[in-house]
Each structure stands twice: as structure tokens, then as C-alpha cells.
Amino acid sequence: MKAARIHGPKTVTCDNVDDPTIQEGRDIILKVTATAICGSDLHIYSGGLPQPRPMVLGHEFMGIVEEVGPQIKNLKRGDRVVVPFPIACGHCFFCDHHLPGHCENSNLNITARKGAC
Ligand SMILES: [Zn+2]
Ligand SMILES: [Zn+2]
């Protein structure tokens, strides 16, 4: 699939990337129907934040559910959803304390647990 990716200051390209797959039981694959560039993306674009590897832009979006992981019980294929910036599990210490922006399970690809950075 195609994705707009930022590579560093003032460098955005439209790249071919791997199609998404369900990797965790609580994953969902959406067909994104609308998204936008966020102010936090602009910090990377302007060089204010380092970007260690290419990142797909548009972390606030809406779309149609195409596939759900086996742990998802409240959504099904065809449902329309809106996704805000804090993708949170709802079960960890921080989510239990109403701090979803600090969720320990938000994006495992950027934590040391999966060794990406
Ligand atoms: Zn944002
Ligand atoms: Zn959480």
C-alpha cells in the first residue's frame, strides 16, 4: 500500500509500505478514509524532534474496520471508527489512572520491548 512518510526535516515522500497484518490479539486493521497531519508531526518536519526512522504521517484518523484481532469483542468488519492520538489498551496502570496518553501498550513498535529504537 502507499503511505505518506516523514524521513526527517522537510522530507516527506509517498512510499510503498507493507500491508498491515494482525500481529496482536487486540489489533484492528482499518481502511483509513480521512486523516490529517498533527502539530506533533510539524515538530518533526521542522527539525525540532529527531526522527530515527521513516514514520507514516496521520496518527489521528477515521476509517472502516476491515479486520479485527481475536481479542476484539466490541467492533466488527464494516464498523466506522474515529481514532484520536492516544491509542490505549484501557487496562494498564496508566489507563486505570485515566492517563491513556501514557499507555504502556500503545505502540509496541516504539518501545524497547520490540527493540525498534
Ligand atoms: Zn497528534
Ligand atoms: Zn494502557
Side-chain angles (χ1 to χ4, degrees):
M1 68 179 211
K2 294 279 189 184
R5 295 197 306 173
I6 188 164
H7 299 264
K10 298 182 175 43
T11 307
V12 175
T13 58
C14 186
D15 300 333
N16 289 311
V17 298
D18 293 338
D19 288 340
T21 59
I22 299 290
Q23 297 177 3
E24 306 282 340
R26 60 187 183 91
D27 285 352
I28 294 173
I29 296 175
L30 293 181
K31 178 179 181 179
V32 174
T33 56
T35 188
I37 294 174
C38 173
S40 59
D41 297 326
L42 295 178
H43 295 303
I44 298 168
Y45 185 80
S46 67
L49 288 174
Q51 183 59 34
R53 62 182 186 282
M55 179 185 78
V56 175
L57 292 170
H59 58 259
E60 293 145 353
F61 49 93
M62 62 179 67
I64 301 169
V65 175
E66 290 200 331
E67 187 176 347
V68 299
Q71 294 177 13
I72 301 299
K73 305 300 180 200
N74 59 340
L75 294 169
K76 64 184 181 315
R77 182 179 173 86
D79 286 348
R80 298 182 68 86
V81 298
V82 174
V83 182
F85 70 92
I87 298 174
C89 73
H91 311 292
C92 72
F93 173 85
F94 294 106
C95 288
D96 287 345
H97 288 83
H98 309 288
L99 297 167
H102 298 280
C103 176
E104 297 172 327
N105 301 307
S106 178
N107 184 353
L108 299 180
N109 288 325
I110 63 167
T111 66
R113 282 177 274 179
K114 290 205 175 178
C117 292

